[in-house]
Amino acid sequence: MMSVKATVVSTEVGQKSKKGFQVNATLKTAALGAVVPLILVIAWEYLSRTGVFPPHLLPAPSVICQSLMNMSAEGNLWGHIGITLYRLFIGFLIGTAAAVVLGAAVGYLKKAESLFDPLIQAFRSIPSLAWVPLFILWMGIGEPSKVVLIAVGVFFPVYLNIVSGIQSVDRKLIEVGKIYNFSSLQLIRRIILPASLPSFLVGLRSGLGLGWMFVVAAELMGASTGIGYLLVYGQNTYSPDLIISSIVLFAILGKITDSILKTFEAKALHWQDTIEKKA
Amino acid sequence: MLAIENVSRTFSNGETGFKNLNLSVKKGEVIGILGTSGCGKSTLLRVLSGLDEHYDGQVKIDGESVTAVHEKIGMIFQEPRLLPWLKVRENIPFGLKSDEHKTEKALKYIESVGLNGFENHYPKDLSGGMAQRVAIARALVTAPEILLLDEPFSALDAFTKMQLQDLLLAIWQQYHSTILLVTHDIDEALYLCDRILILRGQPGEIYEELTIPKLKPRGRGDAELAKMKDQIIKLLDLSQINNK
Ligand SMILES: Nc1ncnc2c1ncn2[C@@H]1O[C@H](COP(=O)(O)OP(=O)(O)OP(=O)(O)O)[C@@H](O)[C@H]1O
Ligand SMILES: [Mg+2]
């Protein structure tokens, strides 16, 4: 074992090209991250096959794979995924837009802060799911109530991060702009916005996370399409494979959308001087 | 050009940065401000720049009372204060209006401050002295009529320092800028300044004002200047600094 380790290390040190080394490193982290899930899946498959897990409660991974394949072959799987993503996207957009407008105003203008912030904080303390009955009452169980619910969920983390991002911009950098006689608009555009971008992106990512939570809630509360609907359908038809498939789908999609934002974040913030980026 | 009458700055916590300053600066004059650490030099520059309006007394630029940053003012802070999301060649023209040949000027000043090859670096990848040079270039590129400098060359090695002092001199000759230079380096003050103010005490007050009649450019090893240096050292009273 010792000797194996030693050779691995020496080949890595021997890597001259930086690029190759980086790719190697990312692959390695990815591989490391896959180890535990893989072991769990194998154990699960084994226990299902030996009958420890009753198939009517927890079907084997292979069965779930099969059911996912069947659905995608029948073609309606993509429809469900599409509608869920669509709802999430629209809700995310609306929630983010509202958060940007209000958050920027509250963060930048003292007056706006005294006017709006107490109210928004009060609304924040309402558990967002408590809105469900009201939204259904107002807008029915169609698309609008779902999208609005998602938007509400996305709004708060984005809003909070924008406000704190703007308020914590370094006074010293703002003074640089003042020395050059920047107008308020220029100050915002050229200093405050870029300086608060890191915090905004953190907000976007946690907003997206909450967005996924609320998609499920919205689709559970009455839908005829979407992955959340598949969950309910699976429950009503006693098909655990369908339920678990939906959960797996949520996991995969959530991970993908988050990675998209993460990549974007890394691209936009490459100028940051953080531990992670020191190589 | 710049007139200061009886200006003091007392902070809200009761501490006083400096007090009872009187000074009048003609266009094109270079004023050096020497003083021990903490005697209010940076505070004075902040007041003059208009960034700090909570002063007592009168600060006038061309007869107008200063209440906000005057458009003729340029400033180099004690720290570089670069914008971390901009590359060197974007940081330098940061204060230029959009139509002023940004890239050309930026490249010219990158050359002047000796940062060739670092145009595309971000501030996080610069050394302290390099960052300070970018900050110097950023202030000089706008060619302000009044230039306030807060220990601009203190992070630099002796040789780069001399080069940049000469750059500052060249800018001064070209634009006839009025310059206020805070420094700890007596040689630098003697090399560049027409008048030197010596601040002492905490809160700082003007203790002495020296006029250096010699024409610029001056020799760095000049005997007359060396004599003045001795005088200044006495005025700064180094024995008192040492036991501080
Ligand atoms: N915002 C502030 N609030 C309270 N006190 C302050 C503030 N800024 C500066 N001071 C005090 O004013 C005094 C002068 O500070 P200043 O930064 O002007 O010194 P300095 O002469 O520039 O020193 P150095 O040569 O070390 O840069 C110090 O005693 C400092 O503690
Ligand atoms: Mg200072």
Side-chain angles (χ1 to χ4, degrees):
Chain A
M1 195 61 206
M2 280 313 277
S3 66
V4 172
K5 250 186 193 161
T7 51
V8 168
V9 170
S10 69
T11 50
E12 264 182 15
V13 173
Q15 274 279 8
K16 273 277 147 52
S17 106
K18 220 174 181 181
K19 202 92 189 187
F21 186 78
Q22 268 173 1
V23 169
N24 229 3
T26 26
L27 272 182
K28 222 175 134 192
T29 11
L32 268 182
V35 169
V36 177
L38 221 63
I39 293 176
L40 285 180
V41 167
I42 291 169
W44 172 10
E45 180 78 38
Y46 174 77
L47 290 173
S48 296
R49 292 210 176 177
T50 52
V52 178
F53 293 158
H56 68 283
L57 294 182
L58 188 60
S62 52
V63 177
I64 288 161
C65 262
Q66 193 55 50
S67 102
L68 273 175
M69 303 251 245
N70 286 346
M71 272 197 288
S72 91
E74 283 163 28
N76 51 15
L77 178 66
W78 301 111
H80 289 301
I81 292 179
I83 191 78
T84 296
L85 283 176
Y86 170 77
R87 285 170 186 149
L88 177 75
F89 182 70
I90 301 289
F92 185 71
L93 226 57
I94 295 175
T96 305
V100 166
V101 172
L102 275 170
V106 167
Y108 187 67
L109 302 169
K110 264 260 135 5
K111 279 238 174 61
E113 185 179 8
S114 348
L115 270 177
F116 293 113
D117 201 49
L119 181 72
I120 293 174
Q121 296 296 343
F123 270 90
R124 190 169 75 98
S125 55
I126 302 170
S128 305
L129 291 181
W131 294 108
V132 170
L134 193 63
F135 288 165
I136 292 181
L137 194 65
W138 284 349
M139 293 171 265
I141 54 166
E143 292 307 308
S145 64
K146 292 186 182 56
V147 168
V148 169
L149 183 68
I150 296 164
V152 167
V154 170
F155 174 84
F156 287 104
V158 180
Y159 168 83
L160 289 177
N161 278 288
I162 287 180
V163 172
S164 82
I166 290 178
Q167 288 180 344
S168 58
V169 174
D170 193 350
R171 172 188 57 85
K172 292 183 169 179
L173 291 184
I174 295 184
E175 282 181 0
V176 171
K178 288 197 173 152
I179 279 289
Y180 292 121
N181 278 295
F182 281 8
S183 62
S184 297
L185 208 68
Q186 280 176 309
L187 274 183
I188 294 176
R189 198 171 59 79
R190 302 190 58 188
I191 298 179
I192 296 175
L193 275 188
S196 54
L197 188 65
S199 167
F200 173 57
L201 290 175
V202 168
L204 278 190
R205 276 178 75 190
S206 49
L208 185 68
L210 275 185
W212 275 110
M213 229 172 95
F214 283 85
V215 163
V216 182
E219 289 181 346
L220 282 181
M221 78 195 189
S224 50
T225 46
I227 311 174
Y229 160 76
L230 290 183
L231 277 175
V232 183
Y233 185 74
Q235 182 197 359
N236 293 342
T237 54
Y238 298 103
S239 33
D241 54 322
L242 193 52
I243 297 178
I244 296 175
S245 304
S246 316
I247 292 175
V248 169
L249 276 180
F250 274 125
I252 294 172
L253 291 174
K255 181 74 190 147
I256 290 176
T257 48
D258 187 59
S259 326
I260 292 173
L261 271 189
K262 201 172 164 184
T263 319
F264 176 68
E265 186 178 321
K267 281 246 164 64
L269 300 182
H270 58 98
W271 48 267
Q272 265 191 328
D273 200 5
T274 52
I275 302 173
E276 225 176 303
K277 285 161 202 145
K278 273 275 176 255
Chain B
M1 178 109 208
L2 181 68
I4 307 167
E5 291 159 22
N6 240 333
V7 174
S8 309
R9 173 71 169 100
T10 305
F11 296 106
S12 48
N13 62 3
E15 226 176 303
T16 304
F18 59 87
K19 63 181 189 189
N20 298 334
L21 246 59
N22 287 289
L23 177 68
S24 129
V25 185
K26 289 196 287 284
K27 183 169 165 49
E29 241 185 328
V30 183
I31 308 283
I33 301 171
L34 284 171
T36 44
S37 181
C39 70
K41 304 181 297 294
S42 299
T43 312
L44 173 64
L45 285 199
R46 285 177 56 80
V47 166
L48 297 183
S49 69
L51 285 175
D52 185 348
E53 308 143 28
H54 306 283
Y55 59 88
D56 309 306
Q58 283 274 347
V59 176
K60 286 183 179 168
I61 293 176
D62 289 337
E64 281 173 62
S65 201
V66 172
T67 49
V69 177
H70 201 282
E71 57 180 17
K72 289 183 176 170
I73 293 274
M75 179 147 177
I76 299 177
F77 296 93
Q78 200 164 355
E79 326 81 36
R81 302 199 182 183
L82 302 181
L83 301 146
W85 53 88
L86 295 181
K87 295 174 180 169
V88 166
R89 65 176 161 76
E90 297 159 337
N91 253 298
I92 290 178
F94 187 69
L96 289 174
K97 309 277 180 295
S98 48
D99 50 336
E100 292 178 306
H101 305 287
K102 280 189 170 191
T103 5
E104 283 167 45
K105 284 192 183 172
L107 289 177
K108 187 179 143 222
Y109 275 86
I110 285 174
E111 171 106 48
S112 313
V113 297
L115 284 175
N116 285 342
F118 292 93
E119 296 89 346
N120 292 321
H121 280 52
Y122 283 91
K124 65 170 173 138
D125 300 325
L126 297 176
S127 75
M130 286 155 89
Q132 189 63 21
R133 278 184 272 162
V134 176
I136 291 167
R138 183 177 66 187
L140 295 183
V141 76
T142 56
E145 287 189 43
I146 302 175
L147 188 55
L148 309 174
L149 304 104
D150 198 347
E151 299 177 32
F153 309 131
S154 57
L156 305 174
D157 64 278
F159 186 69
T160 315
K161 197 176 199 169
M162 285 185 206
Q163 279 184 329
L164 290 181
Q165 286 165 353
D166 287 329
L167 174 65
L168 183 63
L169 212 54
I171 299 267
W172 172 77
Q173 273 163 342
Q174 188 181 351
Y175 297 102
H176 292 284
S177 323
T178 310
I179 298 178
L180 270 82
L181 171 72
V182 167
T183 177
H184 285 302
D185 183 341
I186 301 174
D187 293 317
E188 177 173 293
L190 287 169
Y191 184 65
L192 295 172
C193 301
D194 303 313
R195 258 196 292 164
I196 298 181
L197 303 182
I198 294 177
L199 296 190
R200 259 178 64 173
Q202 217 161 3
E205 285 179 279
I206 297 188
Y207 181 71
E208 185 67 80
E209 193 180 316
L210 298 172
T211 309
I212 303 167
K214 231 176 162 39
L215 277 179
K216 281 170 278 189
R218 299 166 182 157
R220 288 188 188 270
D222 196 288
E224 257 175 85
L225 296 182
K227 241 181 253 161
M228 294 197 85
K229 183 175 178 181
D230 280 340
Q231 193 190 346
I232 292 173
I233 291 177
K234 285 206 192 82
L235 286 169
L236 280 170
D237 202 357
L238 289 176
S239 63
Q240 267 191 16
I241 305 166
N242 287 342
N243 59 34
K244 209 177 74 170

